[in-house]
Amino acid sequence: MTLLSMAKYRILTVGFDLPGGDFEYIPFDSDQTLLDADIILFEPTLGRYNSVESYQGRSLLTEHSSFAIKERLNHWRSEIVSAVNAGRLVIVFLPKPEICFRYTGDRNFSGTGRSRVTTNIVAETSSYESVPNLDRVVAKSGTAIQLTDGGRYLGPYWSELASYCPYEAEIEGSFKRVLLNAKGGDRIVGAEGSSKNGILLFLPPIRYSEDDFVAYDEDSKSHGWTPEALKFGKRLLATLVALADSITTTRDKTPEPSWAMDSDFRLAAEGELEVRISDVASRLSELQADKASLETALKDEGSLRGLLFEQGTPLELSILEALELFGFDAEPFDDGESEFDAVFVSTEGRCLGEAEGRNNRAINIDKLSQLERNLQEDFARDDVEDYAKGVLFGNAYRLKPIDERGEFFTTKCISGAKRARAALVRTPDLFGPARYLKENELDSEYAKACRQAIFAADGEVVKFPTAPIGEESTIAEATPPRKQNDE
């Protein structure tokens, strides 16, 4: 195998890394297309995700991770199908399936008012949802594997790599031929998927000793590949290129010359298919625009979460949104001479607010002093007759989980707030009431109680009332979806 022959192939690895500079690693959460590559090596995974609870003994993803993981699984399934249909060689390695539960976004409601019960619908999710052609994947492990008669062309690859490829899963699905069986039986651990253009192979994963292949470099203070690993990478590259060349040789087809595409040689069905392809491309463009619009709406809907971790203008915007949900007429103020983070008014009175987010410390007296100066400056304006209620919004230790944060306001800041009779608001405390009011906008009594809590706090941290609906929330599993035909 010449260097020129190996250099003509671009090889992407998705979900795992291989030694050497000949393999381009693509993380699971990337939106990279696979059509840029000649050979794609794919290992099904769920990537990184967040889970704070379980369901039926398995991790239950958070709502955000549920959405993100499903989107990634769909992306890679679509990319694998497109790459195979475009004539690429795609090898899906078969690790043990990762299985968890995710929120589907569907909810069922029963009862009304304070007796209402919300059932969140969840569905089982497998890392193999990213892979077409497979009907069933079962975690089974072993090292005794035999090459089938249909897998003879895989001989050179298997001779070179068998010792690095224990099987971790058995598969069933739509296959052109079975390549590898667990020894002594007909359980499938390697196969070729059914495809008209490219090649889709399912093979046992490549496993190596971390001690032999990875070493810590004291100079760079990082881990890197050992010389043994780099040698293995070169052997693997040559083996994969030889496999791709052998497949190409057996499936070589002469590229169609331009003159053969003249109208004299065209078939009627070709024109009809081109019209259909154009229609699909148009609908795909519209769907992409719809997706972009929905992603923007999703970002806007989640803006209240800025109360938990933001600072600066994003934090101020989240505070204004929460205040408007409380029933205030709230907006920033800037007349060219005076500039205030928030001026908010309701039937209970008029307030002036100052907001501050800190990475690793509490809100100190400096910010309260600025609030007091703003109150005096505001009162001096000709159109203001009453002294506004001062409110200091603080988001201390903003990047830490809420339950790991220290006191939000320093002792001196609290003392000064008592003297000024200013209200102190921990911005994460705004989130729960604001979310409830956003989802129950007709509850004017609760909104009023939240406003009154702000006006009642004189030099104290505001304690917002608990949302009035003691709504019960349960989880139920969705009906499994019907099998999809990808190709």
Side-chain angles (χ1 to χ4, degrees), residues 313-374:
T313 300
L315 176 62
E316 294 165 16
L317 293 175
S318 295
I319 290 171
L320 291 171
E321 182 181 358
L323 292 173
E324 288 175 353
L325 289 167
F326 288 175
F328 285 105
D329 181 6
E331 60 184 2
F333 179 85
D334 185 357
D335 65 356
E337 296 182 1
S338 300
E339 183 176 350
F340 312 133
D341 288 349
V343 174
F344 44 108
V345 183
S346 69
T347 54
E348 289 80 11
R350 181 173 178 271
C351 301
L352 188 146
E354 191 67 24
E356 176 83 345
R358 291 289 183 90
N359 290 356
N360 298 301
R361 66 180 78 174
I363 311 302
N364 63 25
I365 190 66
D366 294 342
K367 203 62 182 177
L368 182 70
S369 298
Q370 182 179 341
L371 173 63
E372 292 185 282
R373 291 193 298 272
N374 288 349

Side-chain angles (χ1 to χ4, degrees), residues 109 236 251:
F109 302 96
L236 175 60
R251 295 177 56 140

Side-chain angles (χ1 to χ4, degrees), residues 16-28:
F16 71 109
D17 202 2
L18 288 171
D22 300 300
F23 306 99
E24 299 179 41
Y25 167 72
I26 305 297
F28 174 74

Side-chain angles (χ1 to χ4, degrees), residues 196-396:
K196 294 180 181 178
N197 299 321
I199 292 286
L200 176 59
L201 301 181
F202 300 101
L203 299 175
I206 296 173
R207 297 292 183 248
Y208 49 79
S209 167
E210 292 280 346
D211 292 338
D212 294 337
F213 275 28
V214 180
Y216 184 75
D217 182 11
E218 289 290 349
D219 294 332
S220 64
K221 304 298 181 183
S222 63
H223 289 85
W225 299 112
T226 64
E228 182 181 349
L230 296 176
K231 289 179 182 178
F232 172 80
K234 289 297 184 184
R235 286 164 46 207
L236 175 60
L237 173 66
T239 302
L240 289 170
V241 170
L243 176 62
D245 282 342
S246 68
I247 292 172
T248 301
T249 300
T250 58
R251 295 177 56 140
D252 256 350
K253 185 178 179 181
T254 303
E256 189 169 6
S258 58
W259 57 262
M261 300 177 67
D262 288 348
S263 56
D264 290 345
F265 306 109
R266 297 272 287 174
L267 303 179
E270 290 184 279
E272 295 174 3
L273 287 171
E274 286 177 340
V275 170
R276 291 174 61 186
I277 291 172
S278 178
D279 180 58
V280 169
S282 177
R283 283 188 282 130
L284 183 59
S285 178
E286 292 175 0
L287 288 172
Q288 291 285 9
D290 288 345
K291 182 187 176 197
S293 177
L294 288 170
E295 287 174 342
T296 300
L298 177 64
K299 184 178 179 180
D300 292 342
E301 278 298 313
S303 60
L304 274 177
R305 279 196 300 278
L307 295 166
L308 307 176
F309 60 85
E310 277 292 7
Q311 64 177 352
T313 300
L315 176 62
E316 294 165 16
L317 293 175
S318 295
I319 290 171
L320 291 171
E321 182 181 358
L323 292 173
E324 288 175 353
L325 289 167
F326 288 175
F328 285 105
D329 181 6
E331 60 184 2
F333 179 85
D334 185 357
D335 65 356
E337 296 182 1
S338 300
E339 183 176 350
F340 312 133
D341 288 349
V343 174
F344 44 108
V345 183
S346 69
T347 54
E348 289 80 11
R350 181 173 178 271
C351 301
L352 188 146
E354 191 67 24
E356 176 83 345
R358 291 289 183 90
N359 290 356
N360 298 301
R361 66 180 78 174
I363 311 302
N364 63 25
I365 190 66
D366 294 342
K367 203 62 182 177
L368 182 70
S369 298
Q370 182 179 341
L371 173 63
E372 292 185 282
R373 291 193 298 272
N374 288 349
L375 287 167
Q376 294 169 4
E377 189 176 325
D378 173 69
F379 184 61
R381 293 169 48 225
D382 294 337
D383 59 337
V384 175
E385 297 180 358
D386 298 314
Y387 208 79
K389 168 80 173 180
V391 183
L392 179 58
F393 298 94
N395 193 15

Side-chain angles (χ1 to χ4, degrees), residues 7-21:
K8 72 180 181 179
Y9 288 103
R10 182 182 180 189
I11 305 176
L12 299 182
T13 66
V14 182
F16 71 109
D17 202 2
L18 288 171

